Amino acid sequence: MLETITGFLQDYGYGILFLSIFLESTGLPFPGESILIAAGIMAGHGQLNVWGVFFSAWIGGTLGDNLGYWLGHRYGRRFVTRYGHKIGLTEEKYRYVEERFKTVGPPIVLIARFILLLRQVCGFAAGTLRFPWWSFLFYNALGAALWSGAYGFGSYILGDRIDTYLHGSPWAYAAIGAVFLILSGGTVLQFRRKLKAQRATEIEKAP
């Protein structure tokens, strides 16, 4: 998987990074985060420019979320009901997302960028719930910038330090992968626990 991602980045550079994050941000199941991490590491080795990585990810994330917002505002839940299952977005999952958005309000758009699933559907959910577009745009652009900077520059620094201090040891790369895997895995487990809790609550309330 890593070799495939690296190969795409070597062949298409910032374009494939922008496209993958753009599509992921509209709600499609693309590995935008993995590609951003790989691009950051490649920048650390001088194969890409780290600022090019950052801006490609930031613009892709911002525009993708805005397309998702438009789709949500235009088509609403009908789109989820009809097509959501084709991309793994069930009604149950989307109800969970809506509840989180209703509870926190527009600022959740910033937080959602760092959370699996919420990152993919935050624009669509914000549009469906009719969040004010200017407010959505502000938090969306800020969240995309912070996320792109954290993962892009973080991977860039790690990639640079690996060669400097560890001489490119394969174990060092494995350690980086393990850290991001643990963080992502923790997010998935937390989401599953909350989803189960919500399902249990709905069963209790049912007549």
Side-chain angles (χ1 to χ4, degrees):
M1 179 67 173
L2 181 60
E3 291 181 358
T4 301
I5 291 174
T6 303
F8 273 119
L9 285 168
Q10 289 174 337
D11 291 338
Y12 304 106
Y14 310 111
I16 194 66
L17 173 62
F18 166 85
L19 182 63
S20 63
I21 293 176
F22 173 82
L23 292 175
E24 181 193 46
S25 298
T26 63
L28 296 175
F30 270 73
E33 185 176 280
S34 300
I35 292 179
L36 175 57
I37 292 169
I41 293 175
M42 289 175 67
H45 291 113
Q47 296 173 284
L48 293 171
N49 181 281
V50 68
W51 285 103
V53 169
F54 169 74
F55 282 111
S56 297
W58 182 21
I59 295 171
T62 301
L63 293 180
D65 277 344
N66 273 273
L67 176 57
Y69 178 93
W70 179 82
L71 290 172
H73 195 277
R74 177 68 176 81
Y75 298 105
R77 293 201 56 153
R78 290 176 299 164
F79 189 89
V80 176
T81 302
R82 188 168 182 179
Y83 301 107
H85 66 281
K86 295 183 178 181
I87 58 173
L89 183 60
T90 63
E91 282 280 330
E92 185 180 39
K93 289 180 180 179
Y94 195 70
R95 280 200 304 273
Y96 167 79
V97 171
E98 281 189 324
E99 288 302 317
R100 301 285 78 74
F101 272 58
K102 290 176 182 177
T103 300
V104 180
I108 197 174
V109 174
L110 188 155
I111 302 168
R113 174 56 58 176
F114 293 87
I115 302 175
L116 188 68
L117 181 65
L118 293 186
R119 177 173 64 252
Q120 291 177 293
V121 299
C122 73
F124 187 87
T128 301
L129 296 172
R130 297 294 196 271
F131 282 2
W133 182 74
W134 282 107
S135 179
F136 165 78
L137 179 62
F138 170 76
Y139 287 111
N140 171 41
L142 180 59
L146 293 174
W147 177 76
S148 301
Y151 281 85
F153 284 105
S155 302
Y156 166 77
I157 292 170
L158 287 173
D160 183 50
R161 292 298 182 271
I162 285 173
D163 273 349
T164 302
Y165 297 114
L166 301 177
H167 308 293
S169 168
W171 292 106
Y173 290 100
I176 290 177
V179 169
F180 285 108
L181 184 62
I182 290 171
L183 292 174
S184 299
T187 301
V188 172
L189 290 174
Q190 183 182 23
F191 169 73
R192 290 176 63 86
R193 283 198 299 268
K194 289 182 178 180
L195 197 60
K196 288 180 180 179
Q198 178 179 317
R199 188 185 302 120
T201 301
E202 291 176 353
I203 293 174
E204 291 176 0
K205 291 181 178 179

